[in-house]
Amino acid sequence: MKIAVLSTNPDLYSTRRLVEAIKQRGHQAVVIDHVKCFVMIEGGKPTIIYKGKPITEIDAVIPRIGTSVNAFGCAVVRQLELMKVFTTVKSQAILRSRDKLRSMQVLAKSGVDIPKTVFAKNPAQVNELIHMVGGPPVIIKLLEGTQGVGVVLAETIKAAKSTIEAFYGLKANFLIQEYIAESKGADIRAFVIGNKVIAAMKRQGHESDFRSNLHRGGEGHLIELTEEEEQTAIAAAKALGVRIAGVDLLQSERGPLVMEVNSSPGLRGIEEVSGIDIAALIVAYIEDKIVMDEGDTVGV
């Protein structure tokens, strides 16, 4: 097969590992910088132009879409879907997972437990909003934030009000969430492929930082999930339609709570901690799905 990785940088760890795995499993690998693609919209002829030529004969695509180019990247993935190319994650699933508010609404509707979350536009309701999520302390998150950026822990009503009023002043959209004290600055990243958790690691933030993201200097170690944690991670990925996902969980007194479902999870941390060749498993998933789809076509 010819498998493309959509990535703006071929030297990134995850991109390199995926290319290696594609080749090692006997397929042809190509890296396509989606930002440099032209989406040609014409009746009955969905086309993508890259480096002056139409993209053709691609069997599958692994999107690695950064948040800064989310809208355009998803437009490229959507065009590939119209071209009948198999994608490991659908464009709608990427958009759904990247929208923090929408994803929380979908997860809640699906019965997946999440931290108490409130979204509002009226700054006059600040006190009520804080108390609705059991605070202070509370977590305040920008909807557009990623990798721990735009996430604030407000430990007092005064600090929460100041932060909320500042965000309102900037006309920024944000969520207010309950603070799960018993998590002690740690979370779990569960890597899901299809309907299975492949590996999981516990990420611990530095003592001075409640955020556990590895990009913020947090440390990770391999853990074995409980049955409830594993099923919660799988249910969260399924609810958002993300077939290859990094599901972030908090351990709370009332059970695992889902913070986020990442539709473009990094491979470095989870591969280094687990020793598992995650990239190869992603390619194997593509092989299984394409064979299954071909079987369905023959059956029809």
Side-chain angles (χ1 to χ4, degrees):
M1 289 189 294
K2 188 175 182 180
I3 303 175
V5 181
L6 295 187
S7 174
T8 58
N9 186 350
D11 295 324
L12 292 175
Y13 177 90
S14 297
T15 303
R16 285 192 290 106
R17 286 289 299 115
L18 288 166
V19 168
E20 289 170 6
I22 292 166
K23 291 178 178 178
Q24 286 170 358
R25 294 186 69 86
H27 307 295
Q28 182 181 352
V30 58
V31 178
I32 296 174
D33 184 348
H34 43 283
V35 173
K36 295 178 181 178
C37 289
F38 300 156
V39 176
M40 184 68 185
I41 303 168
E42 184 180 2
K45 295 181 180 179
T47 308
I48 295 175
I49 307 298
Y50 183 60
K51 294 184 177 180
K53 297 179 181 179
I55 291 178
T56 59
E57 299 179 348
I58 299 291
D59 298 292
V61 167
I62 305 172
R64 303 288 305 173
I65 308 297
T67 54
S68 61
V69 292
N70 194 48
F72 186 78
C74 286
V76 172
V77 176
R78 188 180 307 115
Q79 191 80 343
L80 287 163
E81 292 166 7
L82 294 173
M83 292 163 60
K84 308 300 182 184
V85 176
F86 175 83
T87 62
T88 55
V89 58
K90 299 288 188 182
S91 56
Q92 273 299 105
I94 299 172
L95 290 170
R96 196 182 297 124
S97 67
R98 289 275 168 82
D99 185 329
K100 286 186 172 64
L101 175 60
R102 184 181 178 188
S103 63
M104 286 290 168
Q105 290 174 311
V106 172
L107 290 171
K109 181 184 177 183
S110 301
V112 176
D113 285 335
I114 61 174
K116 291 179 185 175
T117 303
V118 64
F119 175 69
K121 267 291 186 184
N122 187 351
Q125 301 171 322
V126 171
N127 283 336
E128 185 178 355
L129 298 178
I130 293 169
H131 289 295
M132 283 176 70
V133 296
V138 295
I139 302 294
I140 304 168
K141 292 182 178 181
L142 286 174
L143 290 186
E144 296 80 15
T146 183
Q147 297 178 351
V149 177
V151 181
V152 178
L153 170 62
E155 301 190 69
T156 66
I157 289 181
K158 183 177 180 181
K161 290 180 71 172
S162 296
T163 303
I164 291 169
E165 288 168 358
F167 283 167
Y168 274 133
L170 294 171
K171 300 189 184 305
N173 291 314
F174 59 91
L175 301 173
I176 304 170
Q177 287 186 329
E178 68 173 315
Y179 175 62
I180 309 299
E182 59 267 30
S183 69
K184 298 178 181 178
D187 73 0
I188 292 171
R189 162 61 62 90
F191 204 102
V192 178
I193 299 180
N195 294 313
K196 184 179 180 181
V197 174
I198 302 302
M201 64 178 171
K202 191 166 188 176
R203 305 180 299 187
Q204 180 69 55
H206 287 304
E207 190 174 336
S208 60
D209 195 341
F210 73 98
R211 297 167 296 183
S212 56
N213 305 67
L214 299 187
H215 290 89
R216 312 302 301 175
E219 298 178 351
H221 65 270
L222 188 67
I223 65 163
E224 186 173 339
L225 298 184
T226 65
E227 180 68 20
E228 184 181 17
E229 289 167 345
E230 187 170 337
Q231 291 306 313
T232 297
I234 293 169
K238 183 177 180 180
L240 294 179
V242 182
R243 298 180 283 196
I244 296 174
V247 181
D248 295 339
L249 306 166
L250 288 177
Q251 294 175 310
S252 77
E253 292 175 350
R254 63 180 188 269
L257 305 175
V258 175
M259 289 193 302
E260 186 175 0
V261 177
N262 191 320
S263 57
S264 187
L267 303 186
R268 184 192 291 272
I270 196 71
E271 285 196 335
E272 290 179 348
V273 166
S274 69
I276 296 172
D277 190 343
I278 302 290
L281 293 177
I282 291 173
V283 180
Y285 172 80
I286 293 172
E287 293 167 349
D288 291 343
K289 292 299 291 184
I290 288 183
V291 168
M292 189 182 302
D293 288 347
E294 287 176 349
D296 289 343
T297 302
V298 172
V300 172

